[in-house]
């Protein structure tokens, strides 16, 4: 059973039998169908939209009589905006022929890895020897546990200074990656100063009044992250099969804007634009070729 099924409104599915029954119903509701043939292999991807931009993707092998043997499935949330135009390489997973996107995103300060939602499209392009260069990645995350935090009060001057500092740091990280010794030294000094400031402030202040936003790897799986980000937009959607409510947040964390989907029952607090979302997400994305 996929851990993040409840994030798209299937919290009632608790066993393999229930999952099998649910997939059988969804196969009859199939919307967009993408087929990939290579020799005797006939792979088929079915996307079933349960709410605008939210659904289940089922991938399996299609037989000559039209039936389909399900190989795997995953819940998805499609982001509308391009999150990053940074250089992106695509790598195959070991277990099955699914793929991950690897972004060299300087704004986050780490190599950002996401599960590629449109892997069949990538396989088709590669099979036809078409251009597979990624010009943009539309990222989104699914969460099964989240909280709403109050925002940090800032003046217009502080917001402007924060944007300039973030841009400067991104430039320094890029220079450091290219081997600039001065940039490496500057970043090291900045980190030491930051650690000193945080150590002093944490004695008298709450941790979440110091940390405005964060984006860091979480757990042992490379595409899961712990995030704190400002909510820019809130869209409330309903799974038409189960009637469960799903929040689709547009979140900005570390200057990255992406979507986060979470079941209303899994969210603690009242979401409002300007407040912050805190939670662990499974990062997925669509690569625009």
């Amino acid at each position: 059973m996929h851990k993040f099924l409840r994030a798209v409104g299937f919290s009632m599915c608790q066993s393999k039998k229930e999952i099998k029954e649910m997939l059988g119903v969804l196969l009859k509701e199939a919307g967009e169908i993408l087929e990939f043939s290579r020799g005797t292999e006939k792979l088929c991807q079915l996307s079933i939209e349960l709410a605008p931009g939210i659904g289940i993707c089922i991938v399996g092998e299609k037989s000559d009589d039209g039936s389909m043997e399900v190989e795997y499935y995953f819940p998805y949330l499609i982001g509308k905006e391009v999150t990053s135009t940074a250089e992106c390489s695509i790598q195959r997973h070991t277990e099955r022929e699914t793929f991950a996107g690897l972004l060299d995103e300087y704004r986050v300060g780490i190599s950002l890895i996401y599960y590629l939602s449109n892997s069949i499209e990538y396989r088709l392009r590669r099979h036809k020897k078409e251009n597979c260069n990624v010009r943009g990645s539309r990222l989104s995350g699914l969460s099964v546990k989240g909280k709403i935090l109050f925002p940090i009060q800032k003046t217009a001057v502080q917001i402007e200074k924060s944007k300039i500092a973030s841009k400067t740091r991104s430039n320094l990280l890029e220079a450091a990656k290219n081997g600039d010794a001065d940039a490496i030294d500057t970043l090291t000094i900045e980190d030491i100063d930051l650690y000193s400031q945080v150590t002093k402030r944490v004695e008298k202040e709450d941790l979440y009044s110091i940390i405005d936003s964060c984006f860091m790897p979480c757990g042992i799986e490379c595409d899961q992250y712990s995030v704190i980000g400002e909510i820019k937009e809130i869209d409330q959607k309903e799974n038409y099969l189960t009637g469960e409510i799903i929040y689709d947040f547009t979140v900005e964390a570390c200057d990255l804007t992406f979507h986060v989907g979470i079941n209303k029952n899994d969210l603690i607090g009242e979401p409002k634009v300007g407040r912050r979302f805190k939670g662990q997400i499974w990062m997925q994305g669509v690569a625009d070729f």
Side-chain angles (χ1 to χ4, degrees):
M1 184 173 68
H2 203 289
K3 179 183 174 182
F4 292 91
L5 262 183
R6 60 183 301 112
V8 296
F10 286 107
S11 61
M12 76 296 183
C13 292
Q14 301 292 332
S15 66
K16 287 185 178 180
K17 183 182 178 182
E18 290 173 334
I19 294 291
K20 192 174 181 180
E21 290 174 356
M22 181 266 290
L23 291 176
V25 172
L26 291 176
L27 285 170
K28 298 173 185 176
E29 302 280 333
E32 183 184 349
I33 301 174
L34 197 60
E35 294 186 358
F36 171 68
S37 298
R38 186 174 59 189
T40 56
E41 183 186 30
K42 292 181 181 179
L43 208 60
C44 186
Q45 176 180 288
L46 285 71
S47 298
I48 302 96
E49 193 171 70
L50 304 163
I54 295 173
I56 299 280
C57 191
I58 303 173
V59 179
E61 194 164 351
K62 197 174 182 181
S63 60
D64 294 333
D65 61 2
S67 61
M68 181 178 173
E69 184 181 343
V70 176
E71 187 178 331
Y72 65 91
Y73 68 94
F74 62 90
Y76 69 82
L77 168 63
I78 301 296
K80 293 176 286 187
E81 307 88 359
V82 173
T83 305
S84 175
T85 54
E87 183 181 346
C88 179
S89 60
I90 296 174
Q91 303 291 333
R92 184 189 186 275
H93 289 130
T94 305
E95 183 185 358
R96 61 171 71 100
E97 201 161 354
T98 56
F99 297 84
L102 175 64
L103 284 171
D104 289 325
E105 185 52 75
Y106 298 113
R107 288 174 291 179
V108 183
I110 57 173
S111 293
L112 196 158
I113 299 171
Y114 66 90
Y115 184 92
L116 189 67
S117 298
N118 58 330
S119 59
I120 299 296
E121 181 189 351
Y122 171 69
R123 291 177 67 178
L124 273 169
R125 296 182 73 90
R126 197 173 60 170
H127 182 65
K128 294 177 181 177
K129 297 181 180 179
E130 295 178 359
N131 186 358
C132 291
N133 293 329
V134 181
R135 58 182 176 85
S137 300
R138 291 179 281 139
L139 301 183
S140 56
L142 293 176
S143 177
V144 293
K145 189 177 181 181
K147 296 179 181 179
I148 299 298
L149 305 178
F150 284 121
I152 296 176
Q153 192 171 9
K154 291 180 179 179
T155 63
V157 175
Q158 287 174 322
I159 293 170
E160 190 60 33
K161 281 184 178 180
S162 178
K163 287 180 180 178
I164 294 169
S166 178
K167 189 175 181 180
T168 303
R169 183 172 176 81
S170 295
N171 293 335
L172 285 170
L173 284 167
E174 186 173 0
K177 188 179 179 182
N178 294 327
D180 190 325
D182 291 335
I184 295 170
D185 291 341
T186 303
L187 285 168
T188 304
I189 293 167
E190 281 185 0
D191 287 343
I192 293 170
D193 290 343
L194 184 62
Y195 178 78
S196 176
Q197 290 173 22
V198 170
T199 304
K200 290 177 181 177
R201 289 183 61 185
V202 80
E203 294 176 0
K204 298 179 180 180
E205 298 180 50
D206 180 78
L207 184 64
Y208 296 117
S209 66
I210 300 170
I211 300 173
D212 187 10
S213 69
C214 82
F215 196 108
M216 58 186 292
C218 181
I220 60 172
E221 293 186 57
C222 56
D223 53 10
Q224 294 194 25
Y225 298 89
S226 180
V227 300
I228 299 174
E230 184 183 346
I231 299 172
K232 295 294 186 181
E233 289 181 29
I234 300 173
D235 199 355
Q236 192 169 297
K237 300 175 180 180
E238 181 181 343
N239 181 321
Y240 77 90
L241 282 178
T242 64
E244 293 186 24
I245 302 299
I246 305 149
Y247 283 121
D248 179 358
F249 297 140
T250 303
V251 173
E252 185 182 287
C254 299
D255 291 333
L256 284 182
T257 301
F258 54 94
H259 286 256
V260 173
I262 185 170
N263 195 309
K264 186 179 181 180
N265 297 324
D266 295 329
L267 185 68
I268 299 173
E270 184 182 353
K272 285 188 178 180
V273 172
R275 292 181 180 179
R276 292 178 294 167
F277 170 81
K278 174 185 178 292
Q280 183 180 338
I281 64 170
W282 172 47
M283 185 62 77
Q284 54 182 222
V286 174
D288 293 330
F289 298 103

